Amino acid sequence: MGFLNTKTAWANKEFIPFKLCIASIYVIVGSYFHSFFENYYIPLFILFGITVTWTLYLWIKKMKQRN
């Protein structure tokens, strides 16, 4: 389980999907208690799914480049 200890360098543009991923889950969790965002659950979950997949892809790609 040494993959969590590996350090990689990320460019600013590579943080965009990660930031979108984190922001979308924050909005989902925050809106769980408010009915104002209730109509946006499906688009937010789709955005979260896409960005988490994108981020994992970039992370795995960087890990493979390092080895």
Side-chain angles (χ1 to χ4, degrees):
M1 294 274 297
F3 67 92
L4 293 176
N5 295 329
T6 304
K7 297 183 186 219
T8 60
W10 289 70
N12 286 336
K13 68 178 180 177
E14 293 172 329
F15 272 116
I16 292 171
F18 178 68
K19 289 178 181 180
L20 283 173
C21 173
I22 297 300
S24 63
I25 197 65
Y26 276 138
V27 171
I28 290 168
V29 170
S31 67
Y32 182 77
F33 301 103
H34 298 283
S35 62
F36 179 76
F37 289 104
E38 191 172 35
N39 296 332
Y40 302 107
Y41 281 146
I42 304 260
L44 287 172
F45 277 117
I46 291 170
L47 177 63
F48 175 72
I50 290 169
T51 55
V52 81
T53 304
W54 190 1
T55 302
L56 287 174
Y57 168 75
L58 290 173
W59 183 39
I60 291 169
K61 183 178 165 186
K62 285 216 172 268
M63 296 289 285
K64 286 182 180 180
Q65 286 178 352
R66 199 144 215 286
N67 293 333

